[in-house]
Amino acid sequence: MKFIKFHKNIMAVVTGLLILVIVIFAVTEIMYNRKKEDKKIRKCDIAVLTYDDIDKDYFSQVRRGVVSAAKEQNLTYHIFSVDDYGDSYEDTLKKVLERKPVLVVMPDATFAETLYNYQHQYENTEFVLVGAVPHNADNTDSEIGKNVISVTFDDAECGFTAGYTAVQNGYDKLAFVCDDDDSRSVHYYYGYLQGADYAASLEQNRKVSVSVYHNLETEENSSVKTIDPSTEVITTSSDKIIKKLADDTELQKIPVIYLGDNTLNYKNISAMINNDIELSVKNVIISVKRQDVDTGNEITNDVTNNTIVLNKIGKVFEDIDDKEINELVSKMKHKEITVIGDASISIGELDLNHITYTDNKVIR
């Protein structure tokens, strides 16, 4: 009996030691691989930040722009997700900057506040913020540090293209849903009116009307039901408005033109119009590398250094061909068409002589 008990004790000790050896080996292997990976990441010239909920197609454009620039300039890059650092933008930035990258690419406006708070602490690192300018929490102040380049877009030109597309497709009763609290939405709106007016001027006896609805996303008592159901096409840059329209049994059959960078999959979307994000990101990284641009500035991409992309979904806009849009963009590029995006100018000063315009202003 003593022998059996002794034997069991020996087996327990041996088993425990074996488990300990396996654990030590596994931990050592993990630490080795992590150090190996850390060593590999430390060599990156460009750090690209992201997060799990970012629009995948949009981020793919940003990533392709980084990859293309890195390849052309013989640079290395690595992608860091905020989700790997406790969902904290600040912690992610601090950890990434321990790698000492030369350039940090922030892909969208969700990083604007973080960059506003930390840009001066890391003046030896250059930052590229896509689609926004660094701003404080309540967006009452903005500042572009001397080590930052903000890449923004001429949204009025995209809006112009949308207005032109709607009228050229034969629609005479248009609606635009604008969020006055979003500067991009307002610029889209100004361009949209001008594009619709320009297209209407190309045909005689065309009676085009545009109804503009404001803040249907943000006002508590407002609703998409205020939109006239006889409207032929609706244009907006608001994801939430498109969802509301898709859920409304009376309005869901009206085709929608979406202006924005995300990729939405609602059935009522018939066209999406945006800027070439990939080309913009590539060009700015190369410009920073070559020192062709000074940091501390906002670079606004328009048709002179970028392209406008019309993505047609389904058959609603199939008669609008790419050649026609390219010709329109070319006219804007060569100043044959002037698009005013300055929202400090009143609508009455835009000289909209070929459309009727109704402002369905929501009272705040």
Side-chain angles (χ1 to χ4, degrees):
M1 294 295 292
K2 290 184 178 180
F3 174 76
I4 294 174
K5 186 176 181 180
F6 177 75
H7 182 264
K8 287 182 177 180
N9 289 338
I10 290 293
M11 289 300 295
V13 171
V14 170
T15 301
L17 289 172
L18 182 60
I19 292 173
L20 182 61
V21 169
I22 293 172
V23 170
I24 292 173
F25 177 79
V27 171
T28 303
E29 183 70 13
I30 290 171
M31 294 300 294
Y32 172 77
N33 290 333
R34 183 172 295 174
K35 287 181 179 180
K36 185 178 179 181
E37 182 67 18
D38 285 350
K39 185 177 181 181
K40 183 166 57 176
I41 295 173
R42 282 184 186 279
K43 297 179 181 178
C44 76
D45 301 301
I46 305 171
V48 186
L49 307 190
T50 188
Y51 53 95
D52 281 356
D53 291 335
I54 195 170
D55 183 87
K56 299 302 185 289
D57 289 335
Y58 169 78
F59 183 70
S60 179
Q61 295 181 66
V62 175
R63 183 184 58 78
R64 289 198 302 269
V66 172
V67 171
S68 183
K71 183 176 181 181
E72 187 170 319
Q73 296 295 307
N74 195 29
L75 303 171
T76 57
Y77 72 94
H78 192 82
I79 297 172
F80 299 86
S81 176
V82 171
D83 302 83
D84 294 332
Y85 298 91
D87 295 329
S88 169
Y89 282 54
E90 292 77 11
D91 290 347
T92 302
L93 181 60
K94 291 175 183 178
K95 288 294 184 182
V96 167
L97 292 177
E98 289 177 2
R99 315 283 185 178
K100 300 188 183 302
V102 177
L103 179 68
V104 176
V105 176
M106 296 178 162
D108 65 16
T110 63
F111 292 91
E113 183 183 344
T114 301
L115 187 54
Y116 176 88
N117 293 330
Y118 289 94
Q119 56 190 341
H120 296 303
Q121 294 185 27
Y122 304 102
E123 294 186 343
N124 294 326
T125 303
E126 293 176 324
F127 296 88
V128 170
L129 176 62
V130 183
V133 171
H135 61 75
N136 61 354
D138 58 4
N139 211 1
T140 57
D141 184 53
S142 62
E143 180 186 4
I144 301 175
K146 65 180 183 181
N147 54 330
V148 173
I149 288 184
S150 287
V151 181
T152 57
F153 304 95
D154 191 330
D155 296 317
E157 292 177 342
C158 279
F160 187 97
T161 305
Y164 173 88
T165 299
V167 175
Q168 279 296 93
N169 203 56
Y171 294 122
D172 293 322
K173 195 165 186 178
L174 286 54
F176 188 94
V177 182
C178 180
D179 177 6
D180 295 330
D181 296 325
D182 179 4
S183 62
R184 295 192 69 182
S185 181
V186 175
H187 293 311
Y188 284 134
Y189 153 48
Y190 267 57
Y192 184 81
L193 292 176
Q194 294 168 76
D197 187 77
Y198 175 77
S201 73
L202 301 178
E203 298 182 45
Q204 291 184 348
N205 303 318
R206 193 74 187 270
K207 295 182 179 180
V208 176
S209 64
V210 182
S211 294
V212 179
Y213 301 86
H214 298 261
N215 300 334
L216 300 189
E217 175 183 331
T218 56
E219 291 292 329
E220 290 183 5
N221 299 321
S222 61
S223 167
V224 292
K225 293 187 182 299
T226 61
I227 297 175
D228 186 344
S230 65
T231 298
E232 296 173 335
V233 62
I234 299 171
T235 302
T236 186
S237 61
S238 169
D239 301 7
K240 292 180 180 178
I241 288 298
I242 293 176
K243 184 180 185 305
K244 285 184 179 181
L245 291 169
D247 292 339
D248 188 288
T249 55
E250 192 172 23
L251 301 174
Q252 61 188 202
K253 294 182 180 179
I254 300 175
V256 171
I257 299 175
Y258 169 63
L259 297 166
D261 302 321
N262 295 331
T263 303
L264 307 180
N265 296 314
Y266 297 106
K267 291 182 179 180
N268 55 341
I269 298 179
S270 296
M272 294 189 290
I273 299 176
N274 57 22
N275 295 95
D276 191 331
I277 305 297
E278 177 181 344
L279 181 61
S280 300
V281 172
K282 175 185 176 181
N283 287 345
V284 75
I285 291 176
I286 291 175
S287 296
V288 171
K289 173 65 176 177
R290 293 175 175 172
Q291 296 183 329
D292 292 337
V293 296
D294 295 326
T295 51
N297 288 304
E298 175 182 354
I299 296 178
T300 300
N301 285 276
D302 56 20
V303 292
T304 61
N305 56 11
N306 202 342
T307 58
I308 292 174
V309 180
L310 166 62
N311 293 310
K312 292 172 283 187
I313 302 169
K315 297 182 178 181
V316 174
F317 292 100
E318 63 181 356
D319 292 335
I320 305 293
D321 60 26
D322 294 336
K323 181 180 179 181
E324 185 174 359
I325 296 300
N326 290 338
E327 288 175 355
L328 182 73
V329 170
S330 179
K331 288 180 179 179
M332 287 189 277
K333 182 175 182 178
H334 293 96
K335 306 304 180 184
E336 296 175 39
I337 296 174
T338 301
V339 183
I340 298 172
D342 183 358
S344 67
I345 296 175
S346 69
I347 297 298
E349 296 178 83
L350 296 179
D351 295 327
L352 305 173
N353 300 315
H354 303 93
I355 61 174
T356 57
Y357 159 74
T358 303
D359 191 328
N360 300 283
K361 189 74 174 179
V362 174
I363 299 175
R364 288 176 175 271

